[in-house]
Amino acid sequence: MPAVPKVKTVADRNPAKPANLQRRTLLRGMAAGLLTTGLMPVKASAAERADRVVVRKAQRKVELYRGERIIRSFKCSLGLSPTGPKKREGDFRTPEGNYYLDTRNFDSDYFLSIRISYPNEDDQVWAQQNGVSAGNYIMIHGLPNQMERPPSYYTSRDWTNGCIAVSNADIVEVWMLTDYLTPIEILA
């Protein structure tokens, strides 16, 4: 009898990450199941959604607003060097200014991520005038999928490369209560 050929998987091509792949596959399956059963709504109703997000770096707070009313407030962690605005790639700072939430990624290295439209035009002009890269890929995201430290580490200090991190439960709420191009203002 001829041998049955082994089916190749992504894990076979990248043996260094089989556990991560299995976890992501499991998470995707769970999310798909929750979405299709109606147990996890994709979006809140229009009347419940935020029309803007405000991040208060000094208070380590992410606030979702509907009009002038705060509808949710979350504790957050920032970049490793949180004081002052982001000026260049690799400075570990969280930007300050006006941006938009412009891309969603359920398959990131973190439990859900929403990209912030950094750098804006002002950031790009400053970086160009100073001969540096402004950086990019600033996100609001949950905890790392592959934690290298206990969960308490990520909730008790600033630890990102410049992103805004919230708990996994909180990023689900941010995801459900915001839309594409929701404005986000990041204050000192």
Side-chain angles (χ1 to χ4, degrees):
M1 238 164 115
V4 177
K6 184 177 181 219
V7 176
K8 293 284 187 181
T9 66
V10 174
D12 293 328
R13 290 190 297 268
N14 189 355
K17 293 192 173 185
N20 192 27
L21 175 66
Q22 290 171 349
R23 185 174 190 284
R24 283 186 180 184
T25 302
L26 177 65
L27 285 172
R28 261 194 237 122
M30 288 171 54
L34 290 171
L35 289 170
T36 58
T37 61
L39 295 175
M40 187 172 103
V42 177
K43 284 285 182 196
S45 73
E48 298 169 325
R49 275 181 264 177
D51 54 24
R52 68 187 169 103
V53 177
V54 175
V55 176
R56 298 179 190 283
K57 289 173 50 176
Q59 289 84 32
R60 304 300 189 271
K61 290 283 184 191
V62 175
E63 299 169 337
L64 305 184
Y65 281 83
R66 179 88 182 145
E68 295 304 312
R69 186 173 60 93
I70 298 174
I71 58 173
R72 295 286 193 290
S73 181
F74 310 105
K75 182 179 179 255
C76 69
S77 298
L78 304 172
L80 288 167
S81 182
T83 304
K86 184 167 195 63
K87 291 294 186 184
R88 60 178 176 77
E89 185 172 19
D91 65 8
F92 297 101
R93 290 183 176 173
T94 301
E96 295 173 6
N98 294 301
Y99 307 95
Y100 295 94
L101 302 180
D102 68 2
T103 305
R104 293 168 184 267
N105 185 358
F106 66 88
D107 190 29
S108 76
D109 290 337
Y110 302 91
F111 183 78
L112 301 177
S113 64
I114 305 171
R115 185 181 176 282
I116 297 169
S117 64
Y118 175 86
N120 63 23
E121 189 176 329
D122 292 340
D123 300 318
Q124 291 172 353
V125 167
W126 188 94
Q128 188 174 32
Q129 288 174 346
N130 289 277
V132 298
S133 168
N136 56 16
Y137 295 110
I138 299 296
M139 312 274 183
I140 298 179
H141 59 67
L143 301 182
N145 290 328
Q146 295 295 313
M147 290 190 207
E148 297 176 3
R149 299 175 187 264
S152 61
Y153 172 87
Y154 299 101
T155 58
S156 63
R157 63 183 40 87
D158 294 319
W159 59 271
T160 75
N161 289 341
C163 295
I164 299 161
V166 296
S167 74
N168 290 350
D170 293 346
I171 192 63
V172 170
E173 285 201 67
V174 173
W175 185 283
M176 290 174 22
L177 293 171
T178 60
D179 286 317
Y180 175 69
L181 297 181
T182 297
I184 179 169
E185 182 180 15
I186 305 174
L187 303 171

